[in-house]
Amino acid sequence: YEGPAVLSYGFRPFFLGAALFAGLVVPTWVISFADQMQTEFLYPAREWHIHEMLFGYLPALIAGFLMTAMPNWTDRMPLRGVPLLLMFLLWLVGRVLVASPWFGPSATAVIDGAFLVVLAAYVWREIVAGKVWDRIPIGILVSLYGVTNILFHQAALRGAPTDFSERLALSIMTMMLTVIGGRLTPTFTREFFVDRNMAKPPTVFSSMDGVAMGFVLVGVITWILQPESFWTGIMLVVAGTASVVRLLRWKGWRAWQEPLVLILHLGYGWVGLFLIALGASILGVGFTPENAVHVLTSGAMGTMTLAVMTRASLGHTGRPRHADWLTAAMYLLVNAGALFRIFASNVETPTVLTHTMLGLSGLGWSGAYLLFVFRYGPYLVRPSLDE
């Protein structure tokens, strides 16, 4: 490959684009919320914020990860050069049009919805061509995510509630973190233990993992179908507890010397806490549904995606897999931002404290991603050190 380094692997443009987007979209929403300003977005400010976090920011990270991981899983060439550039531009045009729909609402929805459809087609092509049938669950999840984005647009364009598509997207996100994060975390932890000759490295997968994943699957399905049921609340608490037990099996506290490994455990811990918090909110204990959802979006999604982005950006550019102090600062900021967002009071009846906590949340969470751009951006646009 003789083209620009930034187009040599999917993680390069998509991680950089996602980080820049995350650094801008959250402060934009916080400012629009605080000023109660009229926006020209495709949807009202709340729906725009929800859509762009679930179907703008996250799909870029999913694309960057899968377009980098697929060649390793299939031994096939990565998508690079002009095809990769076209994929990135499709995502970018979607972000621009949803923010300023000069192309018309329906056309904007079609263009934005096309990105995850094309990404799913790429994933299925690679699964079939590489005969990696064990990756079929990932193909199913990406395909469902694409359908969910289309459902969101259909409801929002009619002015109908988008709560079903939101629950479906959050549930798919939970399963992605459970499946992918639940494989990466013990794998990289085991590598860390083995490299340092530490005793009793965790096994990557056991029957306990299968049971926990099964509980999570049942929990999110019941939440999609019956979001206010008592038994849904119970099932989610059980799923969250099983996820925490699964996390403890990996012994992440023994990797405290390397933030690059420890952050994966913190990210997965947020997943278990989300399930428990969501179940508790349904049962009327402790959390509100809004607080619980931000345990997933700000906490689990923010932390786990930043963990994967930093590790992949180091490893795939020929640099040592070690978190320097700036990387550790990113981890602290994204977790602090998540905590402020979770404990902000209900935004439907905002107070001065609400605005303050939302502002601090935006500064911490988005600041972490802007710091990623500052620290890792040069790595992503330059050739790898081992080339």
Side-chain angles (χ1 to χ4, degrees), residues 36-233:
Q36 298 295 310
M37 59 187 285
Q38 294 295 320
T39 62
E40 301 297 327
F41 303 143
L42 177 62
Y43 303 124
R46 176 189 176 275
E47 283 71 22
W48 172 80
H49 170 65
I50 291 171
H51 181 272
E52 290 306 275
M53 295 310 294
L54 293 179
F55 301 112
Y57 156 77
L58 188 61
L61 294 170
I62 294 172
F65 172 77
L66 290 178
M67 289 182 178
T68 305
M70 274 293 176
N72 293 330
W73 297 340
T74 63
D75 289 327
R76 287 169 49 83
M77 290 295 294
L79 196 71
R80 55 182 26 161
V82 173
L84 177 57
L85 176 62
L86 292 176
M87 278 292 291
F88 180 74
L89 290 177
L90 179 60
W91 172 81
L92 183 61
V93 169
R95 309 288 57 76
V96 172
L97 291 181
V98 172
S100 182
W102 51 267
F103 212 55
S106 297
T108 294
V110 170
I111 292 170
D112 176 69
F115 177 74
L116 278 169
V117 173
V118 174
L119 180 62
Y122 163 78
V123 170
W124 282 113
R125 186 193 73 177
E126 296 303 297
I127 289 173
V128 172
K131 296 182 174 59
V132 284
W133 310 119
D134 59 328
R135 308 298 172 176
I136 284 178
I138 295 175
I140 293 172
L141 288 172
V142 176
S143 301
L144 285 175
Y145 210 52
V147 171
T148 305
N149 188 22
I150 294 170
L151 292 176
F152 185 101
H153 280 301
Q154 287 181 335
L157 288 175
R158 299 196 315 269
T162 57
D163 55 327
F164 176 78
S165 56
E166 290 171 23
R167 288 199 310 277
L168 188 55
L170 293 168
S171 298
I172 294 170
M173 185 196 309
T174 303
M175 287 308 304
M176 285 184 175
L177 291 170
T178 299
V179 173
I180 299 175
R183 181 56 68 102
L184 295 181
T185 304
T187 298
F188 294 146
T189 304
R190 182 178 179 84
E191 287 180 5
F192 177 82
F193 282 21
V194 171
D195 288 345
R196 286 158 181 76
N197 296 316
M198 297 171 66
K200 298 180 179 179
T203 55
V204 173
F205 193 85
S206 72
S207 58
M208 174 62 218
D209 296 273
V211 170
M213 292 170 66
F215 278 132
V216 174
L217 179 60
V218 173
V220 296
I221 288 175
T222 57
W223 182 50
I224 293 168
L225 301 177
Q226 295 184 316
E228 299 178 0
S229 166
F230 171 82
W231 292 109
T232 297

Side-chain angles (χ1 to χ4, degrees), residues 323-346:
D324 61 9
W325 69 271
L326 275 176
T327 303
M330 295 176 214
Y331 299 158
L332 289 173
L333 283 172
V334 77
N335 281 278
L339 288 171
F340 278 119
R341 183 60 190 91
I342 292 162
F343 291 107
S345 55
N346 196 323

